[in-house]
Amino acid sequence: MSMDYIRRTYSVPARRGARIAYTGSPLLGRALGTIVGSRGGYLRVKMDDGHPKSLITMHPTSCVEYIEPPNYK
């Protein structure tokens, strides 16, 4: 499945390079990251915490806030 599938199925502005905030962690508060791809119907997100293993898979609508669209021309 592709990013286009995710956009159409979940009605979200998910694109590679888009910024998101994960809001589902009571300990971390808002954790910021960048969408780098997809796996199945899920987003692959590189979190901003700087940890080398900060690439995570998350559902496109579960505790995800889309901050800004990527700059496409």
Side-chain angles (χ1 to χ4, degrees):
M1 293 177 210
S2 66
M3 296 298 277
D4 183 53
Y5 169 83
I6 292 171
R7 285 190 297 276
R8 287 184 288 115
T9 302
Y10 299 106
S11 299
V12 296
R15 294 194 181 275
R16 284 173 187 83
R19 301 284 293 157
I20 62 102
Y22 177 71
T23 58
S25 173
L27 296 175
L28 298 175
R30 262 177 71 149
L32 301 176
T34 303
I35 299 173
V36 296
S38 63
R39 175 176 287 166
Y42 292 85
L43 300 173
R44 296 289 286 160
V45 178
K46 174 72 173 154
M47 301 309 288
D48 288 353
D49 63 7
H51 191 278
K53 294 188 178 185
S54 293
L55 184 62
I56 61 171
T57 302
M58 62 178 61
H59 190 275
T61 61
S62 181
C63 302
V64 175
E65 177 185 325
Y66 294 85
I67 299 172
E68 61 186 43
N71 295 324
Y72 289 110
K73 293 181 180 179

